[in-house]
Amino acid sequence: MEFSDPNRREERLARHTGRVHAELLASGLPVYTLAPESRPAEERFGGLEVFDGTVTAIHLVYPASTPEGPWADVETARWTGLQIGPASLRLALEHHVRRGGDRFSELTWTESSASLSVDGHSIGAQWLRAGHRWWALRGERAGIEITVVGRDWHPETLAVETVVDPLPILHRLPDDRSAYQAVHPAPGAGPLPADLRREPHRALADAVLHNTAAHAAWQADGGPAPQLPTWWSELWRAAVQRQMQLSGQPEVEAAAAVRGMSSQLAGLFHELEWFHSDADLRRRAITEILFYSTGLDADVPSRTAQDEWHRFTAADVDPDSRAIANERWITAWQSWASSRREV
């Protein structure tokens, strides 16, 4: 088959490499790599970060050969003239610690001053350690911010140098080895329990909220990444099928309705404090969303909020109107919650 043809794969890889190389050259950003004598592995291209059409950061990674092996990431970034700025060094390190499966609260975080050699010139830098495994260092030279993150790798001196031509790095095939390999195994597939099949919309709502809460906790403190249950895909299909039966919608529209229901529930969890602190209000809100989404009762007390959600998520809404609709959606749900407390 065409998609498994190795020649086609090589062609696609070559085109992708050419596009990335052109973007790197057009960005005007230097690419820094660890000095050969200190790097834990051979560098590989780790990706670009782009904001509003502008390349803001370039990553080179040094993959570990085992889950416990030394690993590093070098980020070269420029934020001048942009509406965004760099994440704090703490947030940058937290991102990698989180992906590595460690908990922030179980690590001792310490800061200190340090130095970084850039093309043979020493610059001042900030050093942050998280426990005995993780650390990050950041310095700036000529408006270019250089951030190095390491795990299970502790060089005596730290030096980076400019990559004259990044093309050889781009030509290296992706390496399956990763600092995070075996930490987050892919979920398998399993049968849907019979008790969940009876009311798949309700079961899906519960699963969405459980996963949303687990991800919020993971974002806050790291640890093993939450995994969807093995029967998630089957539950989703069951909910879409039930949506088609209840609403008479074709499959595409039914799937969109189920996605909208799930997204609104997650949005309520993130945006409104009462949704995860007041069990009674949460139960009422979920019930009304289910009735409205399935068409069993479109005239629920929260209909104004439900209508605003549809305006907020409409594909053809411009960003300004979307922001207004989001505020109206939040306000409508707040008003609904206040009215329910008075009942």
Side-chain angles (χ1 to χ4, degrees), residues 7 15 26 28 32 50 70 81 96 118 146 168 197 224 237 257 262 264 275 289 294 309 316 319 327 334:
N7 293 327
R15 288 197 298 269
Y32 286 109
V50 180
H96 292 286
V118 182
I146 304 165
R197 191 178 295 279
R237 287 192 293 269
S262 302
Q264 182 170 197
F275 188 77
I289 289 174
T294 57
W309 175 257
D316 59 348
E327 288 300 319
Q334 291 286 40

Side-chain angles (χ1 to χ4, degrees), residues 8-338:
R8 295 281 187 178
R9 181 177 182 274
E10 291 298 327
E11 289 176 9
R12 290 195 296 271
L13 183 60
R15 288 197 298 269
H16 174 71
T17 298
R19 286 195 298 269
V20 173
H21 189 234
E23 285 188 84
L24 287 175
L25 296 178
S27 73
L29 270 173
V31 180
Y32 286 109
T33 183
L34 294 169
E37 62 271 16
S38 63
R39 65 183 62 157
E42 185 179 50
E43 74 271 66
R44 296 180 183 273
F45 178 64
L48 301 174
E49 294 183 32
V50 180
F51 174 76
D52 198 22
T54 300
V55 175
T56 58
I58 301 166
H59 288 264
L60 294 184
V61 295
Y62 305 77
S65 57
T66 68
E68 301 299 319
W71 168 93
D73 176 284
V74 175
E75 177 193 83
T76 306
R78 180 169 54 207
W79 309 98
T80 305
L82 299 174
Q83 297 176 351
I84 60 172
S88 69
L89 191 58
R90 169 75 184 234
L91 290 178
L93 184 52
E94 281 185 356
H95 167 73
H96 292 286
V97 172
R98 183 186 296 113
R99 291 186 62 202
D102 290 333
R103 296 190 185 281
F104 310 154
S105 59
E106 295 176 356
L107 303 176
T108 299
W109 296 73
T110 57
E111 296 184 31
S112 62
S113 298
S115 62
L116 172 66
S117 175
V118 182
D119 290 329
H121 301 279
S122 181
I123 63 172
Q126 178 189 5
W127 192 298
L128 177 63
R129 295 181 184 273
H132 68 280
R133 303 184 66 199
W134 296 93
W135 57 266
L137 180 143
R138 175 177 289 169
E140 182 177 323
R141 183 189 185 201
I144 302 298
E145 185 181 81
I146 304 165
T147 303
V148 183
V149 179
R151 191 213 66 178
D152 293 326
W153 171 58
H154 306 285
E156 293 184 5
T157 60
L158 199 56
V160 297
E161 56 188 33
T162 303
V163 175
V164 177
D165 182 7
L167 192 57
I169 298 174
L170 297 176
H171 275 308
R172 290 174 193 149
L173 293 175
D175 195 323
D176 292 334
R177 297 177 301 169
S178 166
Y180 316 113
Q181 185 179 351
V183 175
H184 310 316
L192 180 65
D195 60 324
L196 301 183
R197 191 178 295 279
R198 285 193 293 269
E199 292 190 55
H201 280 77
R202 177 70 65 174
L204 184 65
D206 291 343
V208 165
L209 290 175
H210 180 272
N211 189 256
T212 300
H215 268 275
W218 182 62
Q219 287 291 329
D221 194 37
Q227 297 292 326
L228 290 170
T230 57
W231 37 257
W232 170 263
S233 295
E234 191 171 345
L235 176 60
W236 182 270
R237 287 192 293 269
V240 172
Q241 289 296 318
R242 184 63 58 81
Q243 180 74 22
M244 295 168 66
Q245 296 168 2
L246 295 173
S247 66
Q249 296 170 320
E251 185 173 359
V252 172
E253 292 181 14
V258 172
R259 280 195 300 272
M261 177 201 78
S262 302
S263 297
Q264 182 170 197
L265 289 170
L268 284 171
F269 181 92
H270 288 300
E271 296 287 352
L272 296 168
E273 187 276 335
W274 58 260
F275 188 77
H276 48 85
S277 65
D278 191 315
D280 183 58
L281 283 179
R282 180 174 62 252
R283 176 184 57 78
R284 294 187 189 189
I286 293 171
T287 298
E288 292 191 19
I289 289 174
L290 295 180
F291 274 113
Y292 181 93
S293 299
T294 57
L296 292 176
D297 185 1
D299 197 25
V300 291
S302 59
R303 177 168 184 168
T304 299
Q306 310 263 13
D307 290 342
E308 291 295 348
W309 175 257
H310 282 281
R311 294 188 184 95
F312 168 56
T313 56
D316 59 348
V317 175
D318 63 84
D320 291 338
S321 298
R322 193 184 302 275
I324 294 172
N326 184 50
E327 288 300 319
R328 288 177 175 172
W329 170 70
I330 293 174
T331 300
W333 272 114
Q334 291 286 40
S335 298
W336 173 89
S338 297

